[in-house]
Amino acid sequence: MSLLSTAIEPVSFRQALGHYASGITVITSMIEGQPIGFTCQSFYSVSVNPPLVSFSVMAGSASYPGMRQAGRFAVNILSGEQVGISNQFARKGTDKWQGVDWQESPLGNPLIAGSLHWLDCELHAEHVAGDHLIVIGEVKALKVQDAAATQPLLYFKGQYCNLAAHGAL
């Protein structure tokens, strides 16, 4: 009987998970009158009643402590045309908001213009998980754009991609 090795190589782990397509979001908040945010692909729904969503963020994130302090955040679900926004908010140590058109949400969070949809959330819970934090937010407001012709921004195998134009399965 063969035993599986319990040592998982980080490169293999990332490669395996890279074969799982994910949507791209930018998580934003406002702290002391300044907008903050970061690109996030680990976003998902948790519960319908109450309406809860979650994302994971590196424990050493420079942006997340401000969001924790604010107690609120917005999830900007990016459209297929927002590759530049995704790349801009993925960078560290730069002015991520340079040239970004945004407005305040009902809770006072930055909403990025052109996003497919947005969710306005209050911090509900936070859990330590290895080198990341799992953050759960309760959705207090949302906007579903008329997006009949707009696709979401997806990430798969280390690159951005679009949904194929296939009929329903």
Side-chain angles (χ1 to χ4, degrees), residues 4 45 49 51 54 65 67-68 71 74 82 94 96-97 109 120 152 157 161:
L4 293 176
S45 64
N49 190 17
S54 181
M67 293 178 186
R68 179 191 295 128
Q82 292 181 300
T94 62
K96 297 177 181 184
W97 294 92
N109 296 308
D120 212 11
K157 292 185 179 180
C161 60

Side-chain angles (χ1 to χ4, degrees), residues 86-147:
S86 175
N87 288 335
Q88 189 164 330
F89 281 86
R91 293 187 202 115
K92 295 180 182 181
T94 62
D95 179 6
K96 297 177 181 184
W97 294 92
Q98 178 75 30
V100 175
D101 186 18
W102 62 275
Q103 64 184 18
E104 276 194 28
S105 73
L107 293 180
N109 296 308
L111 301 175
I112 298 171
S115 293
L116 196 57
H117 309 297
W118 56 260
L119 304 151
D120 212 11
C121 305
E122 288 181 351
L123 187 60
H124 180 77
E126 179 183 297
H127 305 282
V128 175
D131 60 359
H132 277 65
L133 301 170
I134 298 171
V135 179
I136 300 172
E138 183 170 355
V139 179
K140 297 296 186 176
L142 60 84
K143 174 79 176 199
V144 177
Q145 309 292 358
D146 180 18

Side-chain angles (χ1 to χ4, degrees), residues 2-157:
S2 72
L3 298 175
L4 293 176
S5 170
T6 59
I8 304 295
E9 293 295 323
V11 171
S12 298
F13 184 67
R14 291 185 81 170
Q15 182 180 19
L17 294 180
H19 284 77
Y20 178 72
S22 61
I24 302 291
T25 65
V26 173
I27 310 295
T28 59
S29 190
M30 188 78 75
I31 186 73
E32 298 175 0
Q34 296 298 312
I36 56 174
F38 59 89
T39 299
C40 179
Q41 70 183 80
S42 61
F43 166 75
Y44 55 95
S45 64
V46 174
S47 169
V48 173
N49 190 17
L52 301 176
V53 294
S54 181
F55 66 89
S56 296
V57 60
M58 290 192 66
S61 166
S63 299
Y64 181 68
M67 293 178 186
R68 179 191 295 128
Q69 182 181 342
R72 58 184 163 68
F73 59 89
V75 180
N76 296 269
I77 299 172
L78 299 187
S79 72
E81 292 79 39
Q82 292 181 300
V83 169
I85 293 287
S86 175
N87 288 335
Q88 189 164 330
F89 281 86
R91 293 187 202 115
K92 295 180 182 181
T94 62
D95 179 6
K96 297 177 181 184
W97 294 92
Q98 178 75 30
V100 175
D101 186 18
W102 62 275
Q103 64 184 18
E104 276 194 28
S105 73
L107 293 180
N109 296 308
L111 301 175
I112 298 171
S115 293
L116 196 57
H117 309 297
W118 56 260
L119 304 151
D120 212 11
C121 305
E122 288 181 351
L123 187 60
H124 180 77
E126 179 183 297
H127 305 282
V128 175
D131 60 359
H132 277 65
L133 301 170
I134 298 171
V135 179
I136 300 172
E138 183 170 355
V139 179
K140 297 296 186 176
L142 60 84
K143 174 79 176 199
V144 177
Q145 309 292 358
D146 180 18
T150 305
Q151 293 198 18
L153 182 59
L154 301 177
Y155 202 70
F156 180 64
K157 292 185 179 180

